[in-house]
Amino acid sequence: MSNEQQVRIYNPSEEMVKNAAVSGMDGYRALCKEAEDDYEGFWGRRAKELIDWKVPFTQVLDESNAPFFKWFADGKLNVSYNCLDRNVNNGLGDKVALIFEGDNGDVTRVTYKDLLARVSKFANALRGMGVKKGDRVVIYLPMSIEGVVAMQACARIGATHSIVFGGFSAHALRDRIEDAGAVALITSDGQHRGGKALPLKPIADEALSLGGCDTIKNVVVVKRTGGDCNMVAGRDVWFHEACASQSETCEPEWVEAEHPLFILYTSGSTGKPKGVQHSSGGYLLQAVLSMKYTFDIKPNDVFWCTADIGWVTGHTYITYGPLACGATEIVFEGVPTYPDAGRFWKMIQDHKVSIFYTAPTAIRSLIKAADNNPAVHPTKYDLSSLRLLGSVGEPINPAAWEWYYQNVGGSRCPIVDTFWQTETGAHMITPMPGATPMVPGSCTLPFPGIQAAVVDETGTEVPWGQGGILVVKKPWPSMIRTIWGDPDRFVKSYYPADFQGKLYLAGDGAIRDVETGYFTITGRIDDVLNVSGHRMGTMEIESALVAHEKVAEAAVVGRPDDVTGEAIVAFVVLKGPRPTGEEAAKTIKELQNWVGHEIGPIAKPKDIRFGENLPKTRSGKIMRRLLRQLAKGEDVTQDTSTLENPHILEQLKG
Ligand code: PRX
């Protein structure tokens, strides 16, 4: 490796190499070569083998309307059928599909047969409400069996779901309902997290009262926390009542491979989140293939992805990928720190988890917790069931990687550091656990069939060892199809004219190792922050801040944070005088809560600083690079001679 300090290389064990789906680097290279020699054949063969089609496809890739690529377009399938009926038909009806563990530790096991019955009942209930193929259904639910059931039920009847993470505010929920033109909302009375019962339905009610949600005809409410719950007559119905009299069988709606399975909103570089639209056939193919290649899923595995279904990771690696493989998986309602920070390790021990997939931010916070309290150190638990670990959502720093490898994986489990995005649908750059020698901090090499590269501003590949822009050279089956309702933004965001519309722009910077060609992601190159593995657009937060009556102007940047990866820092100019002392502290709280209310608690700035103005060039442009230096507490090295108002730098130092 080229880095100054000696980096360690970790080779997969012989046993892993022998048994893994992708066996050894020769196996990996053979797959890559197969894709290089016959790209469509590579994907087409796997689509035939891994998916049950109602109507087989005759064409693999249709590039005639690039970059609106189509995969397997004349084939028909149903994603829920592939996840449920297929397994039951193959004799897995009594196999446990979901092990649900509640915040309070209660465990519910749901077999494939049972899950199929629950999904069919709810699918029938939705049909009974008039929800049909192509309708959008917004799901605003905590981690629950019903969350998975609701998603699968939509898939079963061809309705396109849009999950809104339970931590988003009423405004964020309203915006997403309105943008999608959803006909139904599925929510719950509340959720249990960290020993507390938190209400959810009141937030949903507020969202619906804000205007713009007239398309919603039905609201289905899961009873989770109990107690009082406002139910609007003629609109709201309890989930259990809606399902009670329904049949346990439901004929799936056979949809075209390109039919939109879901929309998932994610942050971009403008104030408005993007509704990333995914397909059915191509998406399912890569969900399954990555379960096989990256996670090496085997019949006896117990798989646990700790993500929330509100994020893409929860879609691909909870609701769809594991179930389509007939796997047993954990669904967890709670938080990693309740009742103590040993919760993850205890659950791995109790449920004999063999594959564990989590985010660097969780690992870093659990390292801190274990340092402070040896009783919750992972080595205090029996984690011998583990055979494979994964990381996702942000770069994992080598120190956290090593700790995870040694203390959680007992220095015997490979770590797959999986780089991908809401838009890519599935893993793009990741080690193969029985093949790729691992280097902490690097997501290593592209998934077989994925043609990733690092280029300069003109789209020309840069030499290894030189940083640049991460792109994907060829379309892939699980890629984003468009931005819901805004095809122009799709083209501009992902297939920009700078690259002649030929390269997919990921929005990340990357560098390849001089010797191995391994990829290391160097972070976003747009105005998107990554806080605890969650994407936040700086413009979204700025728009929320300036919507406050006291705020005249705001600029938001990120600064590195030990636990959350990046932390949000806001520089704010008030309409009135610049506050100091107690007045400043009070206003900071007020603005933090405001952003929490406008977007959600995850978007609250950690640090807010007030100035009489923002640093601007004489042409009025905010000098963001300078703000980033101030946010980090660094000395300003940038030339400030063009600065209109140099004296405010002192005020903004924080
Ligand atoms: O910046 C990259 C980072 O997360 C972004 C995608 O965020 P999102 O769409 O919310 O999806 C997160 C879960 C797939 C990317 O553009 N990212 C994700 N995984 C990694 C990563 N950065 C470095 N290494 C990773 N393994």
Side-chain angles (χ1 to χ4, degrees):
M1 300 289 291
S2 58
N3 306 5
E4 309 83 54
Q5 83 255 57
Q6 195 59 36
V7 287
R8 286 191 65 180
I9 297 181
Y10 294 81
N11 288 301
S13 67
E14 266 176 40
E15 199 195 332
M16 203 71 201
V17 174
K18 202 169 92 209
N19 298 320
V22 180
S23 176
M25 282 308 275
D26 287 348
Y28 169 72
R29 285 195 204 98
L31 289 172
C32 295
K33 181 157 189 325
E34 185 193 337
E36 219 157 273
D37 293 348
D38 176 13
Y39 195 64
E40 292 191 27
F42 174 87
W43 292 113
R45 280 187 288 279
R46 282 156 185 82
K48 278 193 188 130
E49 182 202 339
L50 299 172
I51 293 180
D52 278 18
W53 297 89
K54 183 72 171 175
V55 178
F57 58 87
T58 59
Q59 187 185 15
V60 173
L61 172 62
D62 175 357
E63 298 184 271
S64 58
N65 192 24
F68 299 92
F69 300 102
K70 290 183 181 161
W71 287 86
F72 320 118
D74 60 353
K76 281 193 165 186
L77 78 161
N78 181 278
V79 171
S80 153
Y81 176 90
N82 273 272
C83 293
L84 304 172
D85 312 56
R86 172 165 74 157
N87 291 317
V88 173
N89 297 344
N90 287 342
L92 297 180
D94 291 324
K95 182 172 179 178
V96 173
L98 308 180
I99 302 173
F100 173 74
E101 183 164 316
D103 188 57
N104 67 358
D106 286 354
V107 174
T108 310
R109 290 186 167 73
V110 184
T111 63
Y112 273 94
K113 209 164 57 192
D114 185 15
L115 190 59
L116 174 58
R118 290 185 190 222
V119 168
S120 299
K121 279 179 158 230
F122 189 53
N124 286 327
L126 287 174
R127 270 193 183 145
M129 292 169 200
V131 180
K132 54 185 194 313
K133 180 183 170 193
D135 284 345
R136 275 80 57 211
V137 173
V138 167
I139 300 176
Y140 184 59
L141 279 175
M143 286 299 286
S144 53
I145 295 168
E146 289 82 0
V148 176
V149 168
M151 293 167 82
Q152 287 281 349
C154 288
R156 194 158 192 92
I157 63 171
T160 299
H161 61 66
S162 168
I163 320 287
V164 178
F165 173 58
F168 275 122
S169 72
H171 283 89
L173 176 59
R174 189 275 309 267
D175 292 350
R176 286 157 177 76
I177 290 173
E178 187 178 26
D179 190 77
V183 300
L185 171 66
I186 303 163
T187 186
S188 71
D189 55 352
Q191 57 181 324
H192 293 290
R193 280 173 81 77
K196 291 192 213 100
L198 308 168
L200 208 58
K201 178 68 167 36
I203 305 175
D205 283 341
E206 187 191 342
L208 295 178
S209 74
L210 289 172
C213 301
D214 300 343
T215 48
I216 295 280
K217 299 284 173 273
N218 293 281
V219 178
V220 185
V221 187
V222 174
K223 189 173 259 178
R224 179 62 186 150
T225 48
D228 286 349
C229 181
N230 172 48
M231 297 291 279
V232 175
R235 186 195 74 180
D236 300 359
V237 53
W238 288 106
F239 184 95
H240 60 274
E241 286 177 6
C243 292
S245 56
Q246 301 294 343
S247 159
E248 288 188 359
T249 57
C250 172
E251 175 64 14
E253 180 82 35
W254 304 104
V255 300
E256 309 74 40
E258 283 297 311
H259 181 70
L261 177 65
F262 67 88
I263 306 167
L264 184 57
Y265 287 84
T266 190
S267 297
S269 24
T270 75
K272 189 174 185 288
K274 307 185 264 197
V276 172
Q277 181 182 318
H278 275 286
S279 69
S280 297
Y283 172 78
L284 183 66
L285 170 60
Q286 279 188 254
V288 174
L289 195 63
S290 53
M291 284 301 299
K292 290 196 181 299
Y293 286 179
T294 314
F295 291 128
D296 186 41
I297 193 81
K298 296 278 197 302
N300 292 330
D301 276 315
V302 176
F303 181 83
W304 185 13
C305 163
T306 68
D308 190 286
I309 51 165
W311 310 112
V312 73
T313 310
H315 284 58
T316 308
Y317 299 108
I318 295 179
T319 301
Y320 293 115
L323 296 178
C325 294
T328 295
E329 64 171 327
I330 310 281
V331 175
F332 177 43
E333 180 182 38
V335 298
T337 48
Y338 177 81
D340 61 38
R343 183 69 182 264
F344 275 1
W345 323 133
K346 181 166 186 313
M347 283 181 62
I348 292 170
Q349 173 180 282
D350 289 351
H351 300 298
K352 302 205 167 25
V353 171
S354 55
I355 306 174
F356 181 65
Y357 190 37
T358 197
T361 186
I363 297 166
R364 287 191 297 264
S365 71
L366 296 175
I367 293 174
K368 260 197 171 167
D371 283 349
N372 293 331
N373 175 10
V376 297
H377 198 278
T379 50
K380 292 285 187 314
Y381 298 79
D382 177 6
L383 305 182
S384 58
S385 56
L386 286 171
R387 66 180 196 90
L388 178 55
L389 302 174
S391 171
V392 61
E394 53 178 317
I396 178 163
N397 47 308
W401 194 104
E402 300 268 358
W403 186 92
Y404 192 31
Y405 184 78
Q406 287 161 16
N407 298 296
V408 182
S411 301
R412 95 188 160 266
C413 307
I415 298 179
V416 287
D417 174 359
T418 60
F419 168 84
W420 60 296
Q421 309 176 295
T422 304
E423 294 88 342
T424 69
H427 302 153
M428 297 300 278
I429 308 180
T430 173
M432 298 288 107
T436 321
M438 292 161 293
V439 172
S442 167
C443 51
T444 73
L445 296 169
F447 191 89
I450 299 298
Q451 312 250 332
V454 181
V455 300
D456 64 18
E457 288 75 23
T458 65
T460 311
E461 238 166 288
V462 298
W464 292 3
Q466 195 174 310
I469 301 164
L470 180 66
V471 295
V472 186
K473 296 195 282 187
K474 281 193 175 181
W476 62 100
S478 66
M479 68 188 297
I480 174 175
R481 293 307 196 262
T482 187
I483 292 176
W484 180 260
D486 201 347
D488 290 346
R489 191 174 176 199
F490 163 72
V491 177
K492 281 198 197 106
S493 305
Y494 302 109
Y495 283 92
D498 305 358
F499 301 154
Q500 291 76 48
K502 297 260 185 275
L503 301 174
Y504 168 84
L505 178 70
D508 283 290
I511 184 165
R512 301 188 69 169
D513 180 74
V514 181
E515 283 154 35
T516 58
Y518 277 16
F519 288 77
T520 291
I521 306 298
T522 50
R524 298 288 305 190
I525 52 168
D526 51 12
D527 292 323
V528 170
L529 306 181
N530 193 324
V531 183
S532 298
H534 302 320
R535 259 163 83 168
M536 296 298 328
T538 53
M539 291 262 290
E540 263 174 279
I541 306 169
E542 287 166 9
S543 320
L545 282 166
V546 296
H548 189 280
E549 54 178 13
K550 287 187 187 161
V551 176
E553 217 179 348
V556 167
V557 299
R559 76 146 189 258
D561 184 278
D562 278 355
V563 173
T564 58
E566 273 188 297
I568 302 168
V569 183
F571 296 91
V572 173
V573 183
L574 295 184
K575 287 177 184 156
R578 174 175 176 262
T580 52
E582 244 175 57
E583 182 59 25
K586 217 179 91 204
T587 316
I588 286 171
K589 266 256 136 5
E590 189 180 333
L591 293 181
Q592 284 171 328
N593 290 338
W594 171 261
V595 174
H597 187 259
E598 287 289 294
I599 305 176
I602 48 168
K604 280 186 185 178
K606 187 164 182 183
D607 188 356
I608 297 182
R609 302 181 192 175
F610 298 105
E612 281 160 12
N613 208 329
L614 295 174
K616 290 182 190 148
T617 60
R618 282 175 210 278
S619 62
K621 235 174 112 154
I622 295 174
M623 298 170 87
R624 287 176 181 274
R625 201 152 65 85
L626 194 151
L627 288 178
R628 278 192 277 271
Q629 287 187 323
L630 289 173
K632 280 192 228 168
E634 286 175 355
D635 289 336
V636 172
T637 54
Q638 199 179 342
D639 176 14
T640 53
S641 58
T642 55
L643 197 61
E644 172 75 3
N645 36 17
H647 73 282
I648 55 151
L649 293 187
E650 276 312 307
Q651 298 178 347
L652 297 173
K653 269 190 179 154

